[in-house]
Amino acid sequence: SRRQRQMCIRDSNSDIEILHMQAYDHSKRDFSTYFKAFEKGIHIEDYVVTMLCKELLISGEDSDFIAFRNIFENVLSKEGRSNDLMKEINCILAKIYMADGDTDAFFKTTLKAVADNPPAEMCLILGTFYMNQTDYEEAALGNRLPCGIPSV
């Protein structure tokens, strides 16, 4: 697994601590569940879309982002979601475009976001793009942008 996550549960009335260290990454299974729901035309509630965005950002690989391109471009971004959720969706779209090498769509998405109090994730995505180009001066731009607090 790319990342091992752990969760610690402690009862305030006891010295017992339960440490859960998952044995493998469940993200591929989770992603397939989302794909099945979208294939069936099931409307996904906003909080579930937020969970999908978080899961992609935490454990998604480039191929996962690319696989979700149609869903994020043609379903989620067209459903009249809230402004805050659209910022999350646009972060994922930027990652999709970066992973897919679509620089025109990448800059169209990131620059619109930067003009409107972008979430911190968008600034990090923009910085990552420049890091991948080994343009370290521009990569530092992500740290200088007026980014909001993390939304995803």
Side-chain angles (χ1 to χ4, degrees):
S1 100
R2 240 176 54 162
R3 289 189 184 133
Q4 186 177 29
R5 291 187 232 153
Q6 62 184 25
M7 178 175 61
C8 181
I9 301 171
R10 184 178 291 204
D11 185 340
S12 61
N13 298 323
S14 171
D15 290 334
I16 297 173
E17 180 177 291
I18 300 169
L19 185 62
H20 170 72
M21 296 180 68
Q22 82 184 37
Y24 64 95
D25 186 358
H26 299 280
S27 63
K28 301 295 183 202
R29 179 198 65 200
D30 297 345
F31 294 154
S32 71
T33 302
Y34 287 110
F35 282 120
K36 289 174 188 171
F38 285 110
E39 285 172 8
K40 292 179 180 180
I42 297 172
H43 175 76
I44 307 297
E45 296 294 327
D46 286 359
Y47 77 94
V48 180
V49 175
T50 294
M51 288 173 27
L52 170 58
C53 292
K54 287 179 181 182
E55 187 69 24
L56 277 166
L57 288 172
I58 291 168
S59 59
E61 297 174 3
D62 284 353
S63 60
D64 298 318
F65 283 96
I66 293 167
F68 274 100
R69 183 171 181 158
N70 184 53
I71 290 168
F72 275 85
E73 279 184 335
N74 299 312
V75 179
L76 295 176
S77 65
K78 309 262 194 253
E79 292 181 328
R81 303 285 183 160
S82 71
N83 286 338
D84 286 341
L85 186 55
M86 284 308 300
K87 286 183 178 185
E88 296 174 18
I89 290 168
N90 284 331
C91 283
I92 299 303
L93 282 169
K95 288 278 289 186
I96 288 168
Y97 299 143
M98 185 169 58
D100 212 11
D102 188 343
T103 53
D104 289 343
F106 173 79
F107 280 111
K108 183 177 179 181
T109 303
T110 57
L111 294 177
K112 280 183 187 176
V114 168
D116 185 27
N117 188 28
E121 293 88 356
M122 189 64 83
C123 298
L124 290 171
I125 291 165
L126 191 55
T128 300
F129 173 84
Y130 285 114
M131 286 289 289
N132 292 344
Q133 303 297 316
T134 64
D135 188 342
Y136 305 116
E137 187 175 328
E138 290 300 319
L141 174 70
N143 295 325
R144 296 189 311 261
L145 289 171
C147 295
I149 58 171
S151 65
V152 178

